[in-house]
Amino acid sequence: MSSFIVRGAAPLGGEPTDLLLADGRIVEIGPGLSAAGAHVVDAAGLIALPGLVDLHTHLREPGREDAETVESGTRAAALGGFTAVHAMANTSPVADTAGVVEQVWRMGQEYGHADVRPVGAVTVGLAGEWLAELGAMADCPAAVRVFSDDGKCVSDAVLMRRALEYVKAFDGVIAQHAQEPRLTEGAQMNEGEMSALLGLGGWPAVAEEAIIARDCLLAAHVGSRLHVCHVSTAGSVDLIRWAKAKGWDVTAEVTPHHLVLTDDLVRSYDPIYKVNPPLRTHSDVEALRAGLADGTIDAVATDHAPHADEDKDCEWAAAAMGMLGLQTALAVVQQVMVDTGLLDWAGVADRMSIRPARIGRVDGHGRSIAVDQPANLTLYDPSAPWVVDGDQLASRSRNTPYRGRELPGAVYATFLRGRPTVLDGKIA
Amino acid sequence: MKRHLLSAADLTRDDAVAILDTAAELARLADRPIKKLPTLRGRTVVNLFYEDSTRTRTSFELAAKRLSADVINFAAKGSSVSKGESLKDTALTLEAMGADAVVVRHFASGAPHRLATAGWIRGSVINAGDGTHEHPTQALLDAYTMRDRLGGIEGRRVSIVGDILHSRVARSNVLLLHTLGAEVTLVAPPTLLPVGVGSWPCAVSYDLDAELPKSDVVMMLRVQRERMNAAFFPSAREYSRRYGLHSERMATLPEHAIVMHPGPMNRGMEITAPVADSVRSTIVEQVSNGLSVRMAVLYLLLSGSEPAIGRDDETEGA
């Protein structure tokens, strides 16, 4: 197997050094390394991070291969610096059986751009009526540990309680899409001044917060792990802070877009900004950044949601919800968290690799950059501004809200078990 | 004026006054034996209606025809739209047909905005009502009616009563009447007021009886009976008692005050028959004023600064 010397990289933004990668592991760290036959990667000026882990990716396969496939989605992941992604269950058929999750997992293995960890549905067909065979999905080769009906909320309190209790048997976690269904009937955007002005159905913050509050109490009651998907409101951050202060095993994620975009953008009625949960207000964005900075929010998760053109190039009400995220996530986090002084690179590694891997129980990822650790690495250039060209992204879809915007930094290389999946900003 | 009319907020005070003045000029046409001008001859106006609305569609159709435009009525029902054609593809078809203006009524808020800004068509887009967003020509015809009946709008007190939450008429009226200097109060149960209404340029009240004696205009909005099922209010009876306009309530209005309704009405629900048919009611006038206002809008968007009427009726407009 090839070995690599990464020369002059700065682990977590610290002092530059060399890394020798061989046999899938980091075998040596120090200045002036040399090794016979090793490929040398000039990493001067680059920051080395443990390979990023996404807790929330939609790969669309099986069922909507026109929007994304495991192959195209994991290529986008690798280009974004990710070495492992969790593939959400709302495919067609739904990933609610061992057969489907194993199929997705095997495709990830085959293409090899990133490790794919399928997320199993909590309920059969995401219908919120019967528990899916959670144990079978946990026991199959895909070894599912994260279960979610994402896109739909497990709104039945009894079902949610049972799911939380049941997954304790195999150290699973329920990742809840917190959306009280009755309070969000007909919802199109954040409820507030802008929805009133635009005449679009409002999605009130309390519809997210009420479910989070309930689920924290349920998780505490049964002593299980709860993970809250894509929190979007200041009130949600407060609730998670409260649950953590109680010592409960509650974790949460925030998307890059909820850290930077606000509901003011909906004024354009451009469905590129239609997402669930919706873009919120400036004060919510501030609270989310603060929550991520102080660790209340554990992880940045992309909620990468590719959609075919016809599902976005239409009127707002008819448009699908979601936006791309894998290839822009790290640069957005740099812009809003690092360049603003809210988080250092060690913090980025913690929120985008270490904690997500721990929450998802992803072996071999999210480790420190140290000798004998798996060589899953991201080399990132924080001084490589680029203008996002939606047509040049690796995804099969083009629904990026950052089209034409300048982002401050770019992924230079991604290593998966010592093998480059991306080198010089391109698929290796 | 801008190229499109998507929202009452698009109109400056000067724009709005120009439309109302032009409408007043064009209204004179109604008294002539031949009610037609050559102004928009050779222009194509498409009525693109995704939602049934005989009143508004007919008004726009007649307005365009009176200005000699070619008019195409494109209703979603029974058309390619019912076969699943997207708004984008419909727009591209209209563009290929050379539509100079598209008058769009759509059940989705923002659809006219999308049509105007997505780069699908080059013509002017006129919002003829979109979802629960806006209906700017309704607000213009309401303003025209108020100006006509009361002699002016500046400083007048207008109470808009009923289902504000779902009303595109209320949104457009608040914006336009504020621009024209009126003081607007929205009157409704709290459940039928939008959450963000506090930032609108108007006052809010839950008490109709308190507002009527100080209102120059009371505009009643239609209340859909299906709102009851969604618990916006307990019963039709209770709604009528608290927010319906009946003769006794009307009697508390100042002597000069007028009663408006954008139609269609639920007689007996938000307004009783004697009120709707009283001399104070402007409901029928609103319909005829709508024609003049829509002629003015089409004329100003498509024909620019040429005089609309009066120079030489037989001369073609630009």
Side-chain angles (χ1 to χ4, degrees):
Chain A
M1 199 175 188
S2 313
S3 55
F4 288 84
I5 292 175
V6 176
R7 197 173 298 292
L12 311 186
E15 287 302 310
T17 187
D18 296 351
L19 308 168
L20 175 59
L21 317 179
D23 299 324
R25 310 192 81 77
I26 302 170
V27 295
E28 204 175 346
I29 298 178
L33 294 182
S34 62
H39 302 279
V40 176
V41 176
D42 180 8
L46 305 183
I47 290 162
L49 298 167
L52 307 184
V53 177
D54 192 17
L55 277 166
H56 198 139
T57 305
H58 295 272
L59 293 178
R60 301 293 184 222
E61 191 175 13
R64 282 306 301 265
E65 291 82 357
D66 58 325
E68 196 75 289
T69 61
V70 174
E71 203 276 332
S72 65
T74 52
R75 255 193 308 140
L79 288 163
F82 291 89
T83 52
V85 296
H86 288 76
M88 275 295 164
N90 60 342
T91 48
S92 179
V94 171
D96 59 1
T97 63
V100 178
V101 293
E102 191 174 333
Q103 179 195 5
V104 172
W105 174 74
R106 284 196 189 284
M107 282 190 281
Q109 296 260 302
E110 182 183 338
Y111 299 122
H113 301 303
D115 284 347
V116 174
R117 297 297 313 269
V119 173
V122 178
T123 66
V124 175
L126 310 175
E129 292 176 354
W130 304 99
L131 285 183
E133 290 186 349
L134 309 174
M137 290 189 273
D139 293 341
C140 80
V144 175
R145 290 294 177 272
V146 181
F147 298 90
S148 181
D149 276 1
D150 179 60
K152 293 186 175 173
C153 180
V154 182
S155 60
D156 182 311
V158 172
L159 205 57
M160 186 61 183
R161 173 196 171 147
R162 300 289 183 240
L164 285 164
E165 286 178 310
Y166 194 79
V167 299
K168 285 163 66 176
F170 34 84
D171 197 21
V173 62
I174 303 297
Q176 174 72 293
H177 173 113
Q179 177 179 2
E180 209 293 318
R182 284 279 282 155
L183 284 172
T184 51
E185 274 175 18
Q188 305 262 1
M189 68 170 296
N190 181 44
E191 182 178 275
E193 287 182 13
M194 197 52 69
S195 66
L197 191 69
L198 298 177
L200 292 172
W203 197 136
V206 70
E208 176 173 306
E209 294 153 5
I211 292 290
I212 293 175
R214 182 202 73 176
D215 288 353
C216 287
L217 293 166
L218 283 174
H221 182 64
V222 301
S224 189
R225 290 204 289 142
L226 169 72
H227 178 70
V228 186
C229 293
H230 42 48
V231 296
S232 67
T233 78
S236 297
V237 179
D238 287 342
L239 285 165
I240 291 157
R241 194 173 280 128
W242 163 76
K244 286 191 163 173
K246 290 273 193 184
W248 300 341
D249 202 348
V250 174
T251 56
E253 68 189 33
V254 63
T255 73
H257 50 269
H258 285 108
L259 290 171
V260 67
L261 308 176
T262 65
D263 65 351
D264 202 43
L265 292 160
V266 183
R267 195 188 284 273
S268 66
Y269 285 110
D270 185 342
I272 202 76
Y273 301 114
K274 186 173 176 182
V275 65
N276 186 359
L279 300 177
R280 304 287 188 182
T281 65
H282 182 71
S283 59
D284 291 309
V285 167
E286 292 291 312
L288 292 166
R289 289 181 185 182
L292 185 66
D294 71 17
T296 300
I297 297 175
D298 300 84
V300 174
T302 67
D303 196 5
H304 177 79
H307 287 295
D309 281 358
E310 64 269 22
D311 295 324
K312 278 293 194 183
D313 202 8
C314 54
E315 58 274 32
W316 181 275
M321 292 183 282
M323 46 182 68
L324 300 181
L326 284 169
Q327 276 182 259
T328 49
L330 187 50
V332 170
V333 168
Q334 181 196 342
Q335 188 169 54
V336 301
M337 300 300 296
V338 181
D339 292 353
T340 53
L342 288 168
L343 211 57
D344 59 16
W345 289 106
V348 173
D350 181 61
R351 310 299 197 273
M352 295 188 76
S353 177
I354 296 166
R355 286 211 234 181
R358 197 184 303 149
I359 292 164
R361 302 292 193 250
V362 189
D363 289 340
H365 292 266
R367 306 289 186 82
S368 55
I369 298 175
V371 171
D372 211 31
Q373 292 292 346
N376 296 319
L377 289 174
T378 300
L379 301 179
Y380 183 72
D381 186 345
S383 305
W386 58 295
V387 175
V388 179
D389 177 348
D391 299 333
Q392 295 300 313
L393 298 177
S395 175
R396 284 200 168 187
S397 297
R398 295 183 290 185
N399 54 310
T400 174
Y402 308 112
R403 183 184 290 268
R405 290 190 188 214
E406 186 178 275
L407 295 176
V411 171
Y412 178 79
T414 308
F415 285 87
L416 177 62
R417 284 182 287 279
R419 175 182 65 82
T421 54
V422 168
L423 206 52
D424 198 13
K426 300 179 187 68
I427 290 289
Chain B
M1 263 179 75
K2 294 181 178 176
R3 182 152 64 97
H4 311 291
L5 179 55
L6 305 174
S7 161
D10 293 343
L11 301 169
T12 64
R13 187 188 180 90
D14 286 349
D15 289 336
V17 169
I19 293 170
L20 299 184
D21 288 347
T22 305
E25 208 179 337
L26 289 165
R28 286 161 36 203
L29 203 63
D31 302 328
R32 300 189 180 183
I34 297 173
K35 300 177 177 58
K36 198 148 177 156
L37 292 171
T39 316
L40 297 184
R41 200 153 70 191
R43 302 299 187 98
T44 303
V45 175
V46 177
N47 281 327
L48 178 58
F49 274 57
Y50 282 80
E51 210 179 52
D52 290 335
S53 171
T54 309
R55 183 185 307 241
T56 306
R57 186 189 54 73
T58 313
S59 181
F60 269 108
E61 183 178 354
L62 195 55
K65 283 180 171 170
R66 289 211 169 159
L67 295 171
S68 302
D70 296 322
V71 182
I72 298 166
N73 287 318
F74 193 100
K77 269 187 191 162
S79 74
S80 50
V81 172
S82 60
K83 297 171 191 162
E85 186 174 75
S86 67
L87 181 64
K88 178 182 179 179
D89 286 328
T90 303
L92 294 176
T93 303
L94 301 179
E95 175 68 9
M97 288 177 178
D100 295 295
V102 178
V103 177
V104 59
R105 161 68 66 95
H106 205 287
F107 46 81
S109 298
H113 196 281
R114 189 87 181 117
L115 204 57
T117 57
W120 302 331
I121 53 173
R122 280 172 294 183
S124 294
V125 176
I126 299 167
N127 182 0
D130 62 329
T132 54
H133 178 221
E134 283 215 46
H135 195 356
T137 59
Q138 177 71 42
L140 283 162
L141 74 88
D142 289 337
Y144 183 96
T145 307
M146 287 176 212
R147 196 173 79 158
D148 196 43
R149 276 286 196 112
L150 302 172
I153 292 174
E154 177 91 38
R156 294 294 187 177
R157 291 179 168 180
V158 181
S159 295
I160 303 177
V161 186
D163 185 0
I164 310 297
L165 181 64
H166 302 97
S167 175
R168 50 194 174 210
V169 175
R171 278 175 179 72
S172 288
N173 262 298
V174 167
L175 293 167
L176 183 68
L177 291 171
H178 173 70
T179 300
L180 292 172
E183 293 175 28
V184 180
T185 302
L186 300 175
V187 187
T191 48
L192 289 175
L193 287 162
V195 161
V197 74
S199 64
W200 292 11
C202 60
V204 170
S205 167
Y206 308 140
D207 186 351
L208 179 59
D209 289 315
E211 298 305 319
L212 291 178
K214 49 190 179 182
S215 298
D216 300 301
V217 178
V218 56
M219 184 185 295
M220 305 306 295
L221 300 176
R222 187 165 75 96
V223 176
Q224 292 179 306
R225 289 176 191 273
E226 57 264 35
R227 302 290 178 225
M228 275 184 290
N229 301 333
F232 285 104
F233 50 86
S235 69
R237 194 170 119 120
E238 170 148 334
Y239 182 88
S240 293
R241 273 190 189 160
R242 292 179 64 84
Y243 296 101
L245 191 61
H246 46 65
S247 299
E248 294 76 30
R249 278 210 168 109
M250 187 171 68
T252 67
L253 284 167
E255 208 169 314
H256 64 275
I258 57 173
V259 175
M260 304 181 75
H261 194 300
M265 290 177 281
N266 291 312
R267 288 177 184 248
M269 177 78 170
E270 72 269 1
I271 192 165
T272 61
V275 174
D277 299 332
S278 75
V279 291
R280 290 184 162 195
S281 162
T282 64
I283 296 166
V284 177
E285 281 164 64
Q286 286 171 263
V287 176
S288 51
N289 291 340
L291 179 60
S292 309
V293 160
R294 286 171 182 133
M295 285 173 74
V297 167
L298 284 169
Y299 166 74
L300 289 168
L301 285 178
L302 292 181
S303 199
S305 55
E306 294 289 315
I309 187 174
R311 185 183 54 174
D312 176 356
D313 291 356
E314 299 310 311
T315 305
E316 278 192 45

